[in-house]
Amino acid sequence: MTGKKTSVRHEVKSSVKDESLIEKRRDQMIRGAVKLFREKGFHRTTTREIAKEAGFSIGTLYEYIRTKEDVLYLVCDRIYEEVNDRLSQLAEKQGTVDGLKDAIRLYIETINDMDDEFTVMYQETKSLPKTALSYVLEKELEMAGLFERMLAGCSEAGEIRLTEKEARLGAHHIIVQGQMWAFRRWALRKQFTLGEFIEMLTDQLLHGVAGLQREGEAT
Amino acid sequence: MTGKKTSVRHEVKSSVKDESLIEKRRDQMIRGAVKLFREKGFHRTTTREIAKEAGFSIGTLYEYIRTKEDVLYLVCDRIYEEVNDRLSQLAEKQGTVDGLKDAIRLYIETINDMDDEFTVMYQETKSLPKTALSYVLEKELEMAGLFERMLAGCSEAGEIRLTEKEARLGAHHIIVQGQMWAFRRWALRKQFTLGEFIEMLTDQLLHGVAGLQREGEAT
Amino acid sequence: MTGKKTSVRHEVKSSVKDESLIEKRRDQMIRGAVKLFREKGFHRTTTREIAKEAGFSIGTLYEYIRTKEDVLYLVCDRIYEEVNDRLSQLAEKQGTVDGLKDAIRLYIETINDMDDEFTVMYQETKSLPKTALSYVLEKELEMAGLFERMLAGCSEAGEIRLTEKEARLGAHHIIVQGQMWAFRRWALRKQFTLGEFIEMLTDQLLHGVAGLQREGEAT
Amino acid sequence: MTGKKTSVRHEVKSSVKDESLIEKRRDQMIRGAVKLFREKGFHRTTTREIAKEAGFSIGTLYEYIRTKEDVLYLVCDRIYEEVNDRLSQLAEKQGTVDGLKDAIRLYIETINDMDDEFTVMYQETKSLPKTALSYVLEKELEMAGLFERMLAGCSEAGEIRLTEKEARLGAHHIIVQGQMWAFRRWALRKQFTLGEFIEMLTDQLLHGVAGLQREGEAT
DNA sequence: CATGAATGAGCGTTCATTCAT
DNA sequence: GATGAATGAACGCTCATTCAT
């Protein structure tokens, strides 16, 4: 539907040739970086700390990246990869409210599992170099697009009634609520379990705050 | 009503005695800092730049603060002050859906006016020293509490039906959507005007995605 | 005579305002840098060493320059300044062989006094950033021009006979011999005193290797 | 004639046994290194770049040398070898001015052909380790000695009249002019062709600046 | 013999903070 | 109260060299 696939992957150069080694080392690196970024933020984390946490020397770190910002980009990229992997199982059931509910559940659960990564991503995104930033933002728009099409599908199937704009805002709403679960957990998890949160969220999205009818509708 | 008033203001020490001068200088400082933080983030902004933008020397800057983080705190503090000032006019009309709508409108409009400040606050909050951070988070809970009480008020007045938990989530929802209007504006403002956003937000909060009835309710 | 005065001074930015302080600190810096560059070359000298030799901290060093290359430029610039100061006393006596001899003597003596500086300059020049490099080369061409005009003047005055090209080569010859006295001193000073060198140089320039007549001339 | 043969070749250790392979690899290495040193200087060239330019890995590079400076030494050594090869054809014709002129021509032409190598050598010489440095300087003195003997030969043969010191300075003069053609080419080649330069140089060496008689000589 | 991943000392540079004037 | 020169710890990054494969 969105024909344009402009998102050119922002390649991170490595001076190491062995692709599988690159994969392995970057894995270590990302794992370490996420932990540190979560604790102290991108700017307060030093490259030496990342290397140490990853289990190798500063020299080795720089065999696999070019700049510190590359690490941040790698982290962001990894997150989208994983979220997309998880969400891609939802291709079927398009156009049903049940399918939408499943998607929301899956999305929030994914965030719940990866909340360090998400928090990092939403708080440090602006430190990305220009080209990496636009790649990441595009990825996010793709994700929003996925929910937008689901909502539009439900509307076409007649299960709910939505204008195009409403579908767009609804998609945005879902994305944002997911982010909220990640980076407002200091407030939310004292009061809600994961299950409660998902249920209430879905409920509120579909029905709004209880007891009110849409204007112009009969009781 | 909220009995607990634990939020001890995180004092920022100044070596200058004249209170009105402190006020004036900090004003200049905050104005300059917000501009710079918005452009380049807290970490990429230097104290020299803040001083320069504020119109005095670093020496002078350090007469009014103790550390760079103090500036960030001052910025955050100022924001809540202003938001509270604006929202405090809403004390009346508690317990009506119209009052709630007005509050949401006022809140989002405030954010729209101060979006630089808000963006800064939500992106840099974690750089605050511990005590300042908890003060700021508490301030935000107060704000959420304001909306929570409004929702609860409406429920008590019978206009809508909400459990305590639902009211709490609804309040978070409002807060978070406001934040989104500030720091996801790159995505949202291409698609919605301020008015549209407020309307759809309110609508969605109260009615959910169109056309669906709450389960167990008659059509 | 050479109408074009394109040599735009390559400004070195300092974050310190006080001009006389800049002068003083850069003096210390240049003195220290020359010593170190002489001993170990530009690349093997660290900025910390320069700062230490100059008598202040690394932080202070960077208040007066922007990059390490600025130090090198400052050194080169200083040398030309001094040489020009010294040579400018020769404006009169243009057009006489005696004037030329004096100029050569003065030039070589200057180099003899500043030979560390000259050695540094001729060996490290290529490490200069582009704009600084062309400024320095231009300065040197100016100096060559000075000798070229002197030779041409003698020729016009009829004391010697030279084509334009010969005058130009003669000027280069003088410049280069001066450089040699600076950075081939390990070979030369074992065998010649300063006076001898000047005398022989002048002699050779004017008369060539002894005993031969220009072809076509009578004995 | 010069009885002392103190120049002990500064051996460069290789962990490879096969002599002809050593020869071959070092050839590649030198060729690559000269190109890179010329472009960026010794210090700005990395060992990885040298290896790559030579066509093998750094691992392999270090099988044939011990330190980066060894590469520089190898380059310098190669240059003298080649120059000596070229100049050695001049053993005959000693003692004639024509022989001297041929030698000068050959020397300058050699430099013209190898000017990258010469430039590198004269600019990076000081980065050589102590023992390598003295070996190289000695080589150069040998070359100067060659010209010195030629001049002395001419004098003995009665073609020109020179004291020992004058012969020494004359030799130095020739060497220096050659260097000048290599590393002042930015200035010289705009104004002179190779042929012109050689001719004027020879002329000036033998006759000096035109039109002047040696003092005390009759016209 | 050849490879190239790993190492870490060391470099140039920045910037929050201090304090004498 | 205001200034801005001085400080030095700390940062991101490089690169000569080693050594297991």
Side-chain angles (χ1 to χ4, degrees):
Chain A
M1 207 142 274
T2 29
K4 45 187 172 174
K5 264 267 163 275
T6 41
S7 54
V8 181
R9 196 191 192 95
H10 169 85
E11 273 302 332
V12 174
K13 286 266 163 49
S14 165
S15 56
V16 171
K17 269 84 178 281
D18 183 336
E19 288 289 345
S20 75
L21 193 53
I22 294 182
E23 180 85 355
K24 181 182 157 196
R25 293 281 179 259
R26 287 193 176 165
D27 247 47
Q28 299 174 263
M29 192 190 308
I30 290 169
R31 227 184 299 285
V34 165
K35 185 179 167 205
L36 293 164
F37 291 172
R38 184 70 236 263
E39 281 165 27
K40 355 178 14 185
F42 175 71
H43 283 100
R44 293 204 199 289
T45 302
T46 70
T47 51
R48 272 170 181 74
E49 287 170 324
I50 296 171
K52 190 170 186 184
E53 190 73 36
F56 38 66
S57 71
I58 181 67
T60 299
L61 179 72
Y62 275 90
E63 293 281 324
Y64 295 93
I65 55 160
R66 278 250 251 269
T67 69
K68 189 187 174 190
E69 276 139 355
D70 280 348
V71 180
L72 182 56
Y73 170 73
L74 251 18
V75 167
C76 294
D77 194 42
R78 168 65 51 91
I79 296 169
Y80 280 117
E81 210 174 281
E82 285 206 33
V83 175
N84 271 338
D85 273 11
R86 293 238 215 168
L87 257 49
S88 63
Q89 20 176 313
L90 288 155
E92 1 74 62
K93 283 216 274 183
Q94 293 269 5
T96 67
V97 168
D98 278 355
L100 180 67
K101 283 182 179 174
D102 285 351
I104 292 173
R105 167 170 299 106
L106 199 55
Y107 171 61
I108 302 290
E109 280 171 356
T110 301
I111 286 177
N112 190 64
D113 293 348
M114 302 173 64
D115 77 351
D116 280 350
E117 286 86 346
F118 266 84
T119 304
V120 165
M121 198 171 73
Y122 283 107
Q123 295 206 328
E124 308 294 358
T125 263
K126 71 167 179 319
S127 296
L128 247 20
K130 274 279 129 55
T131 76
L133 178 60
S134 53
Y135 174 72
V136 166
L137 295 183
E138 219 164 324
K139 280 284 192 182
E140 193 181 310
L141 286 181
E142 277 176 34
M143 218 165 73
L146 192 150
F147 283 109
E148 191 181 333
R149 280 192 302 283
M150 284 190 136
L151 286 165
C154 292
S155 189
E156 282 161 23
E159 295 213 46
I160 53 179
R161 275 171 279 137
L162 288 171
T163 65
E164 206 184 317
K165 278 207 168 177
E166 284 170 332
R168 198 169 292 141
L169 188 66
H172 155 82
H173 183 121
I174 294 165
I175 298 285
V176 165
Q177 297 293 346
Q179 293 169 9
M180 175 165 137
W181 183 249
F183 67 79
R184 286 176 74 78
R185 65 171 182 218
W186 56 272
L188 292 172
R189 290 185 204 185
K190 284 181 209 148
Q191 303 171 338
F192 307 100
T193 65
L194 173 61
E196 276 173 358
F197 181 74
I198 292 173
E199 193 181 355
M200 296 183 79
L201 181 63
T202 310
D203 225 46
Q204 214 167 69
L205 175 74
L206 294 174
H207 310 289
V209 159
L212 260 195
Q213 297 299 318
R214 183 157 282 242
E215 276 128 50
E217 283 185 305
T219 312
Chain B
M1 207 145 271
T2 29
K4 44 187 171 170
K5 261 274 165 251
T6 40
S7 55
V8 181
R9 192 187 193 100
H10 169 86
E11 272 303 330
V12 174
K13 288 266 162 51
S14 164
S15 56
V16 171
K17 296 285 131 59
D18 182 337
E19 287 290 344
S20 76
L21 192 50
I22 293 182
E23 179 84 355
K24 181 184 159 200
R25 291 279 180 256
R26 287 191 176 166
D27 245 46
Q28 299 173 265
M29 192 188 312
I30 290 168
R31 226 183 301 284
V34 164
K35 185 179 168 206
L36 293 165
F37 291 172
R38 182 73 236 262
E39 281 165 28
K40 353 176 18 185
F42 173 71
H43 284 99
R44 295 201 199 289
T45 302
T46 69
T47 50
R48 270 171 179 74
E49 288 169 324
I50 296 171
K52 190 171 186 185
E53 190 74 36
F56 38 73
S57 70
I58 343 130
T60 300
L61 181 71
Y62 274 87
E63 295 285 324
Y64 295 93
I65 53 160
R66 279 256 244 270
T67 70
K68 190 186 172 190
E69 275 127 357
D70 281 347
V71 180
L72 182 56
Y73 170 73
L74 252 18
V75 167
C76 294
D77 194 41
R78 167 66 50 91
I79 295 168
Y80 281 117
E81 212 173 280
E82 285 206 33
V83 176
N84 272 339
D85 273 11
R86 292 239 216 168
L87 258 48
S88 63
Q89 18 174 315
L90 288 155
E92 3 73 67
K93 281 217 272 183
Q94 293 269 4
T96 68
V97 167
D98 278 354
L100 180 66
K101 282 181 180 174
D102 285 351
I104 292 173
R105 167 169 299 106
L106 198 56
Y107 171 61
I108 301 290
E109 280 171 357
T110 300
I111 286 176
N112 192 64
D113 293 348
M114 303 173 64
D115 77 352
D116 280 352
E117 286 86 346
F118 267 84
T119 305
V120 165
M121 197 172 74
Y122 286 109
Q123 295 204 329
E124 308 294 359
T125 262
K126 71 170 178 318
S127 296
L128 247 20
K130 275 279 125 58
T131 76
L133 176 61
S134 51
Y135 174 72
V136 165
L137 295 184
E138 224 164 322
K139 279 283 194 182
E140 193 179 308
L141 285 181
E142 278 175 34
M143 216 165 74
L146 194 151
F147 283 110
E148 189 182 336
R149 280 191 305 283
M150 285 192 134
L151 285 164
C154 293
S155 189
E156 283 161 23
E159 295 213 46
I160 53 179
R161 271 172 282 136
L162 286 171
T163 64
E164 201 183 321
K165 281 203 167 180
E166 284 170 333
R168 199 169 289 142
L169 188 64
H172 273 289
H173 182 123
I174 294 165
I175 298 286
V176 168
Q177 294 289 354
Q179 292 170 12
M180 290 301 136
W181 184 250
F183 71 84
R184 287 174 70 78
R185 63 172 183 219
W186 55 271
L188 292 171
R189 292 186 200 184
K190 282 182 212 147
Q191 304 173 336
F192 308 102
T193 65
L194 173 60
E196 276 172 359
F197 182 77
I198 292 172
E199 190 181 357
M200 297 184 85
L201 169 59
T202 310
D203 225 47
Q204 210 167 72
L205 177 73
L206 294 174
H207 310 289
V209 159
L212 260 197
Q213 297 300 317
R214 182 159 282 239
E215 276 130 46
E217 283 185 308
T219 311
Chain C
M1 206 142 274
T2 29
K4 45 185 173 179
K5 263 270 165 264
T6 41
S7 56
V8 180
R9 195 190 192 97
H10 168 85
E11 273 303 332
V12 175
K13 286 265 162 50
S14 165
S15 55
V16 170
K17 269 84 178 278
D18 183 334
E19 288 289 346
S20 75
L21 192 52
I22 294 181
E23 180 84 356
K24 181 182 158 197
R25 293 281 179 258
R26 287 192 175 165
D27 247 45
Q28 299 174 263
M29 192 190 309
I30 290 168
R31 225 183 301 284
V34 164
K35 185 179 167 205
L36 293 164
F37 291 171
R38 184 73 236 261
E39 280 165 27
K40 355 176 15 182
F42 174 71
H43 284 100
R44 292 203 199 290
T45 302
T46 69
T47 51
R48 272 167 183 76
E49 288 170 324
I50 297 170
K52 190 171 188 185
E53 191 72 36
F56 38 65
S57 72
I58 181 65
T60 299
L61 179 72
Y62 275 89
E63 293 282 322
Y64 296 92
I65 54 161
R66 279 251 251 267
T67 68
K68 189 186 173 190
E69 276 140 355
D70 280 347
V71 180
L72 181 57
Y73 171 73
L74 250 16
V75 167
C76 293
D77 194 42
R78 168 66 51 92
I79 296 169
Y80 280 116
E81 210 174 282
E82 285 207 34
V83 174
N84 270 340
D85 273 11
R86 293 239 215 167
L87 256 49
S88 63
Q89 17 174 317
L90 288 154
E92 0 75 65
K93 281 217 273 183
Q94 295 269 7
T96 67
V97 168
D98 278 354
L100 181 66
K101 283 181 180 174
D102 285 351
I104 292 172
R105 167 171 299 106
L106 199 54
Y107 171 61
I108 301 290
E109 281 172 356
T110 301
I111 286 176
N112 191 64
D113 293 347
M114 303 172 64
D115 76 352
D116 280 349
E117 286 86 346
F118 266 85
T119 305
V120 166
M121 196 171 74
Y122 287 108
Q123 295 205 329
E124 308 295 359
T125 262
K126 71 167 181 316
S127 298
L128 247 20
K130 275 278 127 57
T131 76
L133 177 61
S134 52
Y135 174 72
V136 166
L137 295 183
E138 221 164 322
K139 280 283 192 181
E140 192 178 309
L141 285 181
E142 277 175 35
M143 216 164 74
L146 193 150
F147 283 109
E148 190 182 334
R149 279 193 303 282
M150 284 191 136
L151 284 164
C154 293
S155 188
E156 282 161 24
E159 296 214 46
I160 53 181
R161 272 171 279 136
L162 285 171
T163 64
E164 202 183 321
K165 280 204 169 179
E166 285 171 330
R168 200 168 289 142
L169 189 64
H172 273 290
H173 182 123
I174 294 167
I175 298 286
V176 169
Q177 294 289 353
Q179 293 169 12
M180 290 300 137
W181 183 250
F183 72 84
R184 289 173 68 77
R185 63 171 183 220
W186 55 271
L188 291 171
R189 293 188 200 182
K190 283 182 209 146
Q191 304 172 336
F192 307 101
T193 65
L194 172 62
E196 277 172 359
F197 182 76
I198 293 173
E199 189 180 358
M200 297 183 84
L201 168 60
T202 310
D203 225 47
Q204 209 165 75
L205 176 74
L206 294 174
H207 311 288
V209 160
L212 261 196
Q213 297 298 317
R214 181 157 282 239
E215 275 130 48
E217 284 185 306
T219 311
Chain D
M1 208 144 272
T2 29
K4 46 189 171 169
K5 262 270 163 264
T6 42
S7 55
V8 182
R9 194 189 192 97
H10 168 85
E11 272 303 331
V12 174
K13 287 266 163 51
S14 164
S15 55
V16 171
K17 297 283 130 61
D18 183 338
E19 286 290 344
S20 75
L21 193 53
I22 293 182
E23 180 83 355
K24 181 184 158 197
R25 293 277 181 258
R26 286 191 177 167
D27 246 47
Q28 300 173 265
M29 193 189 309
I30 290 167
R31 226 184 301 283
V34 165
K35 186 181 166 206
L36 293 165
F37 291 172
R38 184 70 236 264
E39 280 165 27
K40 353 175 19 183
F42 174 71
H43 284 100
R44 294 201 200 289
T45 302
T46 68
T47 50
R48 271 172 178 73
E49 288 170 323
I50 296 171
K52 188 172 187 184
E53 190 74 35
F56 38 71
S57 69
I58 341 129
T60 300
L61 181 72
Y62 274 87
E63 295 285 324
Y64 296 92
I65 54 159
R66 278 253 246 270
T67 70
K68 189 186 173 191
E69 274 128 359
D70 280 348
V71 180
L72 182 57
Y73 170 72
L74 252 16
V75 167
C76 294
D77 193 41
R78 168 67 50 91
I79 296 168
Y80 280 117
E81 211 173 281
E82 284 205 33
V83 176
N84 272 339
D85 272 10
R86 293 238 216 167
L87 257 50
S88 63
Q89 23 175 310
L90 288 155
E92 2 74 63
K93 283 217 272 180
Q94 294 268 6
T96 68
V97 168
D98 279 354
L100 180 67
K101 282 182 180 173
D102 285 351
I104 291 172
R105 168 169 299 105
L106 197 57
Y107 170 62
I108 302 289
E109 281 171 355
T110 301
I111 285 176
N112 191 64
D113 293 346
M114 303 173 62
D115 77 351
D116 280 350
E117 286 87 346
F118 267 84
T119 305
V120 165
M121 200 172 72
Y122 284 107
Q123 296 206 328
E124 308 294 359
T125 264
K126 71 172 177 316
S127 297
L128 247 20
K130 275 279 126 60
T131 76
L133 176 61
S134 52
Y135 174 73
V136 166
L137 295 184
E138 221 163 323
K139 280 284 193 181
E140 193 181 309
L141 286 181
E142 277 176 34
M143 216 166 73
L146 193 150
F147 282 110
E148 190 181 335
R149 279 192 303 284
M150 284 191 135
L151 285 164
C154 292
S155 189
E156 284 161 22
E159 295 213 46
I160 53 179
R161 274 170 280 137
L162 287 170
T163 65
E164 203 183 321
K165 278 206 169 178
E166 284 170 333
R168 200 170 288 141
L169 188 65
H172 155 82
H173 183 121
I174 293 165
I175 297 287
V176 165
Q177 297 292 348
Q179 293 168 10
M180 177 164 135
W181 184 249
F183 66 79
R184 284 176 75 79
R185 64 171 181 219
W186 58 272
L188 291 172
R189 291 185 201 185
K190 284 181 211 148
Q191 304 171 337
F192 307 100
T193 65
L194 173 62
E196 277 173 359
F197 181 75
I198 292 173
E199 192 181 355
M200 297 183 80
L201 183 61
T202 311
D203 224 46
Q204 213 167 69
L205 176 75
L206 295 174
H207 311 288
V209 160
L212 260 196
Q213 296 300 315
R214 182 156 283 239
E215 276 129 49
E217 283 185 306
T219 309

